[in-house]
């Protein structure tokens, strides 16, 4: 009985280890230019990360079988994708089509 319990515990721990992994990648714009400071987060979790000067990110403890990642950047469409077992996800963000909330500054001269 003790061997069976030990075996079951080992199987459970190995499944948890496989599921929680580091996911890395590069976030770029529609032209392939890396985006500095783009936000990458696990959907439904408060923490995330920002891309570095090469557009690279790394997120630890991602459940690669269940989690989804959200990619966002000012002026770009926000995208959410399922990790679906991948440990490397490169993302190209498109320009935002909806300009609601964008302020237009008009210079007016008085003379």
């Amino acid at each position: 009985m003790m061997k069976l319990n030990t075996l079951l515990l080992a199987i459970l721990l190995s499944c948890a280890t496989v599921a929680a992994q580091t996911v890395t990648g590069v976030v770029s714009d529609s032209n392939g230019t890396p985006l500095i400071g783009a936000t990458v987060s696990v959907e439904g979790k408060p923490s995330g990360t920002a891309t570095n000067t090469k557009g690279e990110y790394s997120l630890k403890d991602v459940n690669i079988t269940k989690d989804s990642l959200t990619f966002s950047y000012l002026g770009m469409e926000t995208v959410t994708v399922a990790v679906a077992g991948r440990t490397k996800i490169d993302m190209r963000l498109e320009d935002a089509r909806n300009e609601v909330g964008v302020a237009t500054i008009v210079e007016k001269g008085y003379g």
Side-chain angles (χ1 to χ4, degrees):
M1 187 65 166
M2 183 64 154
K3 288 183 181 182
L4 180 60
N5 287 341
T6 305
L7 178 63
L8 289 175
L9 181 60
I11 291 171
L12 287 173
L13 289 175
S14 67
C15 289
T17 302
V18 170
Q21 293 190 11
T22 300
V23 177
T24 62
V26 176
V27 182
S28 58
D29 66 12
S30 59
N31 297 319
T33 304
L35 294 174
I36 301 167
T39 301
V40 184
S41 58
V42 178
E43 188 177 35
K45 295 184 182 174
S47 62
T49 191
T51 56
N52 65 17
T53 57
K54 296 178 184 177
E56 301 167 329
Y57 72 91
S58 179
L59 281 173
K60 295 181 180 182
D61 297 326
V62 177
N63 185 326
I64 63 170
T65 60
K66 295 181 182 180
D67 286 339
S68 294
L69 300 184
T70 299
F71 299 85
S72 61
Y73 191 77
L74 187 63
M76 302 283 191
E77 294 287 335
T78 297
V79 176
T80 301
V81 296
V83 176
R86 299 174 286 177
T87 56
K88 180 164 177 57
I89 301 174
D90 293 335
M91 181 56 58
R92 282 197 178 198
L93 298 180
E94 300 292 326
D95 291 336
R97 295 184 204 350
N98 183 358
E99 296 193 19
V100 174
V102 176
T104 302
I105 299 173
V106 178
E107 183 178 335
K108 184 173 182 176
Y110 294 96

